[in-house]
Amino acid sequence: MNKQDFLKKLEVELKISKNSEYTINKYVYSNQELLDYAGKNPHEITEDDLKSYIAEKMTESSPSSVILFLAAIKYAYNNLLNKDITEKIKRPKRDKQIPTVLTREEIKRILSVLLNKKSKLMVSMMYACGMRVSEIVNLKIDNLDFEEKIGHIKRAKGRKDRVFNIPGFLDEELKKHIEKQKELYEKGENNERYVFTGPKGKLSSRNLQKMVSKAAKRAGIKKEVHCHTLRHSYATHLLEEGVDIRYIQTLLGHSDLSTTQIYTHVSTDEIKKIKSPIDSFK
């Protein structure tokens, strides 16, 4: 099997397994990089080739990036060649990084610089509903129930469905936007009935990431801001408002409570409430 056939078959396997667009792109890209580096056909790649690539190309990469790269190679070789060339390679420990969180004021500033109504609505929903970028991109008109004021996210990360509340302050604006999208559908310009589309149809996650990052810079925010930063901020702000962490776990669609508990370490408002023992000396 040559390189091109290998990569095509890998993409097919990933699609059959219903992996996300991000995972498909990342896994195919990782395998292509390794094959290009080694200059060999897939069945000729060895553990030493893999180690050489990591040592030369990924010395500055984060542990998470190396782990993801190895997962991509393992998936490809297990599924297509029935072997695991990553088996004896020790994975680095993940960095326990505290996620970047925006203040409520910073969220307002980002929204204030978004003059395009659709852009502002998308960013508002990502924050107000704790949505991943893939979830907003794949959200369909039929997933929204305005009568019950809830939305359904189908096959989210981990292939789980979950429910979100449609915020009251977005209700009217969202309804108006949906009516425009339905008109596009009637004209045959939005065949899959997505809530948000671009000039060429389905939105690109990458373009949405760029839009959020640029908006943060225009708003004068020095932090590194991505779409997922809005989700982190949503969870942290709920915690600061006293919402039970188990409810936050359900709203975010986390299988494990330990994933949600990272937000207990980033809630600066809660930390500010804790007084030093010396204050009792008065």
Side-chain angles (χ1 to χ4, degrees):
M1 191 188 310
N2 63 32
K3 181 178 78 172
Q4 293 307 319
D5 287 341
F6 181 80
L7 295 175
K8 283 179 183 177
K9 286 188 176 184
L10 173 59
E11 186 174 356
V12 168
E13 286 291 331
L14 289 161
K15 286 180 177 178
I16 290 172
S17 301
K18 299 295 182 183
N19 285 281
S20 68
E21 183 183 342
Y22 172 83
T23 299
I24 294 170
N25 291 338
K26 200 71 179 177
Y27 276 32
V28 171
Y29 175 79
S30 296
N31 279 277
Q32 182 175 343
E33 286 287 292
L34 175 62
L35 291 169
D36 288 345
Y37 169 81
K40 297 179 179 179
N41 282 320
H43 67 276
E44 298 172 322
I45 296 291
T46 65
E47 181 186 312
D48 286 337
D49 293 322
L50 190 53
K51 286 181 177 178
S52 294
Y53 178 88
I54 294 170
E56 188 172 326
K57 298 289 187 179
M58 303 192 77
T59 52
E60 300 298 320
S61 299
S62 67
S64 293
S65 296
V66 176
I67 291 167
L68 178 59
F69 174 78
L70 288 170
I73 305 304
K74 180 177 180 177
Y75 182 95
Y77 281 78
N78 265 341
N79 283 278
L80 300 179
L81 296 176
N82 296 314
K83 63 179 181 177
D84 182 9
I85 59 173
T86 75
E87 186 178 7
K88 296 180 181 178
I89 297 179
K90 190 175 180 181
R91 271 64 171 171
K93 289 184 178 180
R94 289 183 185 272
D95 289 336
K96 293 185 178 179
Q97 293 180 329
I98 295 175
T100 300
V101 171
L102 299 169
T103 65
R104 291 165 178 78
E105 187 56 39
E106 286 171 332
I107 296 285
K108 288 178 184 177
R109 278 159 52 191
I110 288 175
L111 294 176
S112 70
V113 301
L114 290 167
L115 304 180
N116 179 279
K117 284 186 178 181
K118 185 178 79 173
S119 298
K120 189 171 185 176
L121 185 57
M122 286 191 293
V123 174
S124 295
M125 283 196 70
M126 278 191 286
Y127 166 68
C129 306
M131 297 176 79
R132 300 178 178 93
V133 64
S134 60
E135 293 170 350
I136 196 82
V137 164
N138 291 302
L139 188 66
K140 293 187 177 181
I141 294 170
D142 294 340
N143 297 152
L144 301 176
D145 184 341
F146 286 103
E147 189 173 331
E148 295 292 331
K149 296 192 180 300
I150 59 171
H152 298 268
I153 293 173
K154 303 292 185 180
R155 298 183 72 80
K157 189 175 181 181
R159 302 179 193 170
K160 299 185 296 292
D161 293 354
R162 66 184 178 89
V163 174
F164 64 90
N165 296 319
I166 298 174
F169 86 102
L170 290 179
D171 190 79
E172 288 305 314
E173 196 64 39
L174 192 53
K175 282 179 181 175
K176 289 177 185 176
H177 175 78
I178 293 295
E179 288 307 312
K180 290 180 182 177
Q181 288 298 90
K182 285 180 177 178
E183 288 176 13
L184 292 176
Y185 174 72
E186 295 300 327
K187 294 176 183 176
E189 297 178 29
N190 181 13
N191 293 330
E192 295 196 68
R193 294 177 69 88
Y194 291 111
V195 173
F196 298 104
T197 52
K200 296 181 180 179
K202 189 178 179 182
L203 283 174
S204 159
S205 297
R206 185 174 294 180
N207 287 342
L208 203 49
Q209 294 280 16
K210 287 180 181 178
M211 182 190 74
V212 169
S213 296
K214 286 179 180 178
K217 287 177 182 176
R218 290 203 307 274
I221 296 169
K222 304 300 182 185
K223 300 171 184 174
E224 190 172 341
V225 179
H226 306 286
C227 291
H228 218 70
T229 311
L230 301 171
R231 179 172 157 90
H232 289 318
S233 304
Y234 162 81
T236 304
H237 296 165
L238 285 179
L239 187 67
E240 290 173 349
E241 288 170 9
V243 178
D244 190 300
I245 195 166
R246 289 168 297 179
Y247 293 144
I248 298 173
Q249 176 191 1
T250 300
L251 287 167
L252 293 175
H254 288 162
S255 298
D256 194 331
L257 183 61
S258 63
T259 307
T260 317
Q261 284 174 331
I262 190 170
Y263 299 109
T264 61
H265 302 296
V266 297
S267 179
T268 51
D269 279 6
E270 292 303 302
I271 291 171
K272 288 175 186 175
K273 293 176 186 176
I274 301 171
K275 292 184 178 180
S276 169
I278 201 168
D279 287 335
S280 64
F281 291 1
K282 294 178 182 178

